[in-house]
Amino acid sequence: MTQNQDVQNTMATSPTTMTGAELLGTIMTEHRDGLVSYAEKMLGDRGLAEDIVQETTIRAWRNIDRLLGMEGSIRGWLFTVTRHLVIDWVRKPSARKEVVGVTYTEPASVTDVTEAIHDALVTSPLLGRLSPEHRAVLVCTYLWDRSIQETAGILGVPAGTVKSRQHNALRKLRSIARSEAV
């Protein structure tokens, strides 16, 4: 079957000899899968694509008299309606917002406990070689994941002091790590 014949796919029985219910049943059996695939390719979401095709089917039912007397391709009409519904859905402001009642959370990351233990065993002795001021800044910023401003508030020092202590502490840690690696 050529591509042109596929687009002009007509039903086995002429729509003019069918009842509305028969035509709708034929539309569902002959075109539903193709419509869902088409919508899914545009949306990237199978469930949403099925919802769009359901709306296409409802519109076909509402226009059944028009479709029964149609001379052109019913398949083409169905794909056009599906495309318009997809475009309308994508343009809808609510399509870009979260679904009401659904809360998205990041999937829990699988962490390797042995890696965390190893890191603690390696970093604890290194942190012990720093001055208490430098150690406190690194613990706040890296281990407690605090910002410079938050760390400054916790330690009661200006943000500039936190930045310089952080810089000097990291420089000292690199120096210690290099000397021990040799």
Side-chain angles (χ1 to χ4, degrees):
M1 181 180 286
T2 68
Q3 185 177 1
N4 191 29
Q5 288 172 324
D6 186 52
V7 171
Q8 293 298 322
N9 182 19
T10 57
M11 294 179 271
T13 309
S14 171
T16 56
T17 62
M18 294 182 176
T19 66
E22 290 171 335
L23 177 59
L24 193 60
T26 304
I27 287 171
M28 290 302 293
T29 57
E30 291 185 19
H31 302 292
R32 184 185 182 287
D33 292 340
L35 292 168
V36 170
S37 283
Y38 178 65
E40 185 178 8
K41 285 177 187 171
M42 289 188 285
L43 295 167
D45 182 339
R46 176 92 180 171
L48 183 56
E50 288 176 354
D51 289 347
I52 295 288
V53 172
Q54 181 177 3
E55 179 61 28
T56 300
T57 306
I58 291 169
R59 293 203 182 177
W61 179 251
R62 288 181 183 153
N63 290 287
I64 203 74
D65 293 336
R66 181 175 164 204
L67 293 175
L68 285 170
M70 188 173 203
E71 293 181 18
S73 169
I74 290 178
R75 181 178 177 87
W77 185 89
L78 292 168
F79 276 85
T80 299
V81 170
T82 300
R83 182 172 56 86
H84 289 170
L85 288 170
V86 167
I87 290 168
D88 290 347
W89 188 88
V90 170
R91 286 181 179 167
K92 226 175 22 173
S94 63
R96 292 180 290 275
K97 295 180 183 172
E98 292 182 19
V99 177
V100 176
V102 176
T103 304
Y104 175 77
T105 56
E106 287 290 326
S109 62
V110 178
T111 55
D112 186 6
V113 177
T114 57
E115 187 175 332
I117 292 171
H118 175 267
D119 290 347
L121 291 173
V122 169
T123 57
S124 290
L126 291 175
L127 286 175
R129 292 184 172 182
L130 296 175
S131 69
E133 294 83 13
H134 289 135
R135 183 173 44 249
V137 166
L138 292 184
V139 167
C140 283
T141 56
Y142 291 105
L143 298 179
W144 296 350
D145 197 29
R146 302 283 191 230
S147 70
I148 298 293
Q149 294 299 328
E150 290 171 325
T151 301
I154 291 169
L155 299 178
V157 297
T161 302
V162 171
K163 288 180 185 179
S164 65
R165 285 181 183 174
Q166 181 182 30
H167 173 76
N168 291 331
L170 290 174
R171 191 175 62 191
K172 179 158 183 155
L173 283 177
R174 283 188 204 105
S175 173
I176 293 170
R178 279 191 210 116
S179 67
E180 289 185 0
V182 182

